[in-house]
């Protein structure tokens, strides 16, 4: 089955249980990439690259949930990189939410902790209607990928894999407060990103 | 007290644990007065719903391969 992936797992010293797990989730990754990219060969390549960079760091991950989060976040990142290079990438210069600096959220609020007029939340209209559109999920993916890495991983563990914050604490070996702060930052960045990139354009 | 900034943190925490009585009171009274935080809270709920749809998109894909879902383990 490994030959489907064209990756010689053994030469990378990947343990057998991880090999078979990656083989299991590989078709899911491929379908995911195809849905995003609509180019099968490109999807195949990006999945391959994502798996390669995942197995090079595989020993860092213990639970299967963590492995899945890890490989999918690499894949999402690669897809986002592709979108950034392609001309149909939506761009917005009003706020740089890709800034890795954790303090950059401060710009959303004034010195008294109130919403800065420029970043006040806007109504999202009818999200049910937008969710049936494929393009919405491309934007959604883009916003997820623009989260700083730690925020993306933590948020995906919580909302995609469905781990509790206590489980995330033991998986990532960070404090509960750090998890709460990271999730908060991820949510507020997503809210701002979707407002700008999707709901802003609709109004 | 840092108003909206602190309230948005509380809104996020309400997604991950049950708030204490005091926290709920603080949140409610602020939301009654502040439409921006009200809108923000709505969006946070909507993001959770979106993530549910998003992960079920992947589940639809994975059923095609007849693969057991590792999330059940
Ligand atoms: Zn407020």
């Amino acid at each position: 089955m490994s030959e489907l992936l064209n990756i010689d797992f053994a030469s990378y010293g990947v343990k057998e249980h991880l090999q078979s797990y990656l083989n299991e989730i590989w078709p899911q990754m491929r379908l995911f990439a195809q849905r995003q990219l609509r180019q099968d060969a490109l999807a195949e390549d990006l999945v391959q690259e994502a798996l390669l960079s995942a197995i090079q760091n595989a020993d860092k991950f213990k639970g299967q949930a963590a492995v899945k989060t890890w490989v999918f976040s690499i894949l999402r990142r690669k897809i986002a990189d592709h979108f950034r290079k392609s001309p149909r990438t939506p761009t917005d210069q009003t706020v740089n939410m890709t800034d890795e600096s954790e303090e950059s959220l401060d710009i959303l609020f004034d010195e008294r902790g109130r919403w800065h007029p420029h970043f006040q939340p806007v109504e999202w209209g009818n999200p049910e209607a937008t969710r049936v559109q494929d393009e919405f999920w491309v934007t959604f993916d883009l916003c997820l990928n623009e989260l700083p890495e730690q925020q993306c991983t933590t948020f995906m563990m919580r909302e995609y894999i469905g781990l509790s914050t206590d489980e995330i604490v033991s998986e990532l070996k960070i404090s509960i407060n750090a998890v709460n702060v990271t999730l908060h930052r991820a949510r507020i960045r997503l809210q701002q990103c979707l407002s700008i990139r999707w709901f802003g354009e609709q109004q | 007290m840092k108003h909206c900034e602190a309230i948005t943190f509380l809104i996020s925490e309400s997604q991950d644990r049950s708030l204490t009585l005091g926290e709920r009171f603080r949140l409610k009274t602020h939301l009654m007065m502040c439409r921006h935080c009200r809108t923000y809270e709505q969006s946070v709920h909507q993001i959770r719903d979106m993530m549910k749809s998003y992960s079920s998109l992947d589940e639809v894909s994975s059923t095609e391969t007849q693969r057991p879902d590792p999330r059940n383990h």
Side-chain angles (χ1 to χ4, degrees), chain A residues 1 32 35-36 45 49-50 75 77 93 95-96 115 117 127 132 137 146 186 195:
Chain A
M1 212 169 160
F32 173 79
R35 203 178 54 228
Q36 305 299 316
D45 286 348
E49 282 177 32
L75 181 59
R77 218 158 275 279
Q93 304 304 325
V95 57
N96 180 14
W115 287 98
V132 298
W137 295 112
E146 288 192 353
S195 293

Side-chain angles (χ1 to χ4, degrees), chain A residues 1 5 21-36 43-44 47 51 64 68-69 71-72 75-76 79 160-161, chain B residues 54-71:
Chain A
M1 212 169 160
L5 297 167
Y21 183 65
L22 289 176
N23 267 314
E24 241 176 63
I25 62 170
W26 163 72
Q28 203 183 341
M29 293 173 72
R30 194 181 55 169
L31 281 160
F32 173 79
Q34 284 170 344
R35 203 178 54 228
Q36 305 299 316
E44 205 92 56
V47 168
L51 280 167
Q64 289 200 330
K68 185 172 179 179
T69 312
V71 288
F72 267 88
L75 181 59
R76 290 196 165 93
I79 292 170
Y160 184 81
I161 311 287
Chain B
Y54 184 73
S55 46
S56 63
L57 287 178
D58 285 351
E59 265 157 33
V60 171
S61 309
S62 64
T63 52
E64 291 168 34
T65 63
Q66 296 297 308
R67 188 189 55 81
D69 191 338
R71 270 167 289 184

